[in-house]
Amino acid sequence: MTHEPRARPAHAPGTTDQLATALARLSLSGRPSEVTALPGGLTNHNYRVRADGIDVVVRISSASSAMLAVDREHEWHNSRAAAAAGVGAPVVDYVPGEGILVVEFLPGRTYAAADVGANLGRIAASLRRLHAGPEFASRFDMFAIQRTYAALVLERGLAVPDGYWALDDAIARVELALRVHPDPLVPCHNDLLAANFLDDGGDVRVIDYEYSGTNEAAFELGNLVNESQLGPDGLAEVVEAYHGRLSDRLLARAELWGLAGQHAWTLWGAIQHGVSDLEADFWSFAMERFEPAARLLTGARLDTLIDAAVGEDPADPRAS
């Protein structure tokens, strides 16, 4: 997942050999080059490399990323598909088995949460293109991933926020509701933090496909609203921009899928807090997702959302 820790030295401890390998694969090791460590990357180290007209980003994965449901082969395939859809950065190179992916450097600025809120219509348009683009290689199931994370947390005895396990029954109800009448699966990014949007003044690009896979579009919408803390108004705006209409069902499914994301990403933060070699406040990351998830899972609104999510939507083209 992407975040915004402080920039690191170009040759951060533990990455020098991998970076040299990546540069050699690009035939840059013996040529004058400028290497700049980029901020962001909670499961990878990112470097901008410029030499002889080449301007690329070299992404080197952290050793802990395999624990976090990141499949680098799928990331490579899905990154190429996203580029073909005109949404992601073009892929330049990939070093199998070494967690090294190289993409073109795209000019522009990455977003903060306020930028996401100000550009929901443009973001919805980019997501529609991504979702209609070439097929992704993998399936992304947030509930299955949460169970994988939970097993790892228990196996390693890692700390989780107080009260996390008490939410098991409530999240099971959410899963059951979302499985009743599932929406079609489409190519999804699944990790729409603000820093994963790039704006050069044209179309909004989406970068970093570590968690990409086929999923319901509703997960994307709920996830991006939660990650930028945009609230009910932001959810309604992006759902309407994406679908061209609003309904109780569309809103409820996006909110519940976003809730499922918060619940699972809590464990992601707990695992990273326990095992990662990267410098970031992973415990705060976990708590920022756990607290709103716990409020909703233990609140009176949950029943209303579940009823709406499984109800019929007469305006749905699939309705009889």
Side-chain angles (χ1 to χ4, degrees), residues 147-285:
R147 286 187 279 272
T148 299
Y149 289 169
L152 181 61
V153 164
L154 293 172
E155 176 188 342
R156 293 186 170 236
L158 301 176
V160 300
D162 291 342
Y164 184 84
W165 304 118
L167 303 175
D168 284 356
D169 289 345
I171 200 66
R173 292 182 60 215
V174 172
E175 179 177 6
L176 181 61
L178 290 171
R179 303 290 195 202
V180 173
H181 298 298
D183 289 340
L185 300 179
V186 295
C188 287
H189 182 279
N190 299 313
D191 187 25
L192 293 176
L193 282 72
N196 283 337
F197 294 109
L198 184 70
D199 192 344
D200 64 358
D203 295 331
V204 176
R205 299 289 196 112
V206 187
I207 57 176
D208 190 351
Y209 286 82
E210 289 180 306
Y211 291 91
S212 57
T214 58
N215 198 358
E216 293 188 26
F219 181 89
E220 297 270 66
L221 304 182
N223 175 241
L224 82 88
V225 167
N226 284 347
E227 293 297 346
S228 291
Q229 301 180 16
L230 300 180
D233 290 343
L235 183 66
E237 182 179 346
V238 75
V239 167
E240 184 171 23
Y242 183 90
H243 291 285
R245 64 188 182 88
L246 284 175
S247 73
D248 289 343
R249 182 182 186 276
L250 290 175
L251 287 169
R253 291 190 72 82
E255 186 167 356
L256 289 178
W257 272 121
L259 168 64
Q262 289 176 320
H263 181 256
W265 296 137
T266 297
L267 292 188
W268 185 98
I271 293 168
Q272 286 286 70
H273 176 72
V275 306
S276 179
D277 61 352
L278 298 175
E279 295 182 7
D281 186 355
F282 291 111
W283 189 253
S284 292
F285 179 101

Side-chain angles (χ1 to χ4, degrees), residues 10-320:
H11 297 289
T15 65
T16 303
D17 291 344
Q18 285 184 308
L19 180 59
T21 298
L23 297 181
R25 292 298 183 97
L26 288 171
S27 302
L28 292 174
S29 57
R31 295 153 60 182
S33 62
E34 180 180 350
V35 179
T36 306
L38 299 175
L42 291 187
T43 51
N44 52 66
H45 300 277
N46 298 314
Y47 304 91
R48 182 180 181 183
V49 178
R50 285 170 282 188
D52 295 346
I54 295 174
D55 195 353
V56 298
V57 175
V58 179
R59 293 165 45 79
I60 304 175
S61 65
S62 166
S64 66
S65 64
M67 300 181 189
L68 301 167
V70 177
D71 186 311
R72 297 298 173 183
E73 291 286 330
H74 290 168
E75 178 190 9
W76 168 65
H77 177 280
N78 297 347
S79 295
R80 292 190 299 162
V87 180
V91 176
V92 175
D93 201 1
Y94 170 62
V95 185
E98 297 182 38
I100 298 170
L101 179 69
V102 184
V103 300
E104 287 186 16
F105 178 83
L106 297 178
R109 64 184 182 90
T110 54
Y111 277 170
D115 300 308
V116 175
N119 289 279
L120 288 175
R122 297 173 64 216
I123 289 172
S126 293
L127 292 179
R128 284 196 303 270
R129 285 197 302 277
L130 178 67
H131 296 169
E135 185 176 354
F136 278 3
S138 45
R139 170 75 168 98
F140 182 93
D141 183 332
M142 191 79 268
F143 293 107
I145 290 172
Q146 187 275 341
R147 286 187 279 272
T148 299
Y149 289 169
L152 181 61
V153 164
L154 293 172
E155 176 188 342
R156 293 186 170 236
L158 301 176
V160 300
D162 291 342
Y164 184 84
W165 304 118
L167 303 175
D168 284 356
D169 289 345
I171 200 66
R173 292 182 60 215
V174 172
E175 179 177 6
L176 181 61
L178 290 171
R179 303 290 195 202
V180 173
H181 298 298
D183 289 340
L185 300 179
V186 295
C188 287
H189 182 279
N190 299 313
D191 187 25
L192 293 176
L193 282 72
N196 283 337
F197 294 109
L198 184 70
D199 192 344
D200 64 358
D203 295 331
V204 176
R205 299 289 196 112
V206 187
I207 57 176
D208 190 351
Y209 286 82
E210 289 180 306
Y211 291 91
S212 57
T214 58
N215 198 358
E216 293 188 26
F219 181 89
E220 297 270 66
L221 304 182
N223 175 241
L224 82 88
V225 167
N226 284 347
E227 293 297 346
S228 291
Q229 301 180 16
L230 300 180
D233 290 343
L235 183 66
E237 182 179 346
V238 75
V239 167
E240 184 171 23
Y242 183 90
H243 291 285
R245 64 188 182 88
L246 284 175
S247 73
D248 289 343
R249 182 182 186 276
L250 290 175
L251 287 169
R253 291 190 72 82
E255 186 167 356
L256 289 178
W257 272 121
L259 168 64
Q262 289 176 320
H263 181 256
W265 296 137
T266 297
L267 292 188
W268 185 98
I271 293 168
Q272 286 286 70
H273 176 72
V275 306
S276 179
D277 61 352
L278 298 175
E279 295 182 7
D281 186 355
F282 291 111
W283 189 253
S284 292
F285 179 101
M287 292 302 298
E288 287 168 3
R289 284 144 187 84
F290 170 71
E291 290 171 349
R295 285 195 297 270
L296 184 51
L297 285 168
T298 58
R301 283 191 66 244
L302 186 64
D303 289 338
T304 301
L305 289 173
I306 286 175
D307 289 343
V310 299
E312 292 187 0
D313 182 353
D316 189 332
R318 297 173 299 156
S320 57

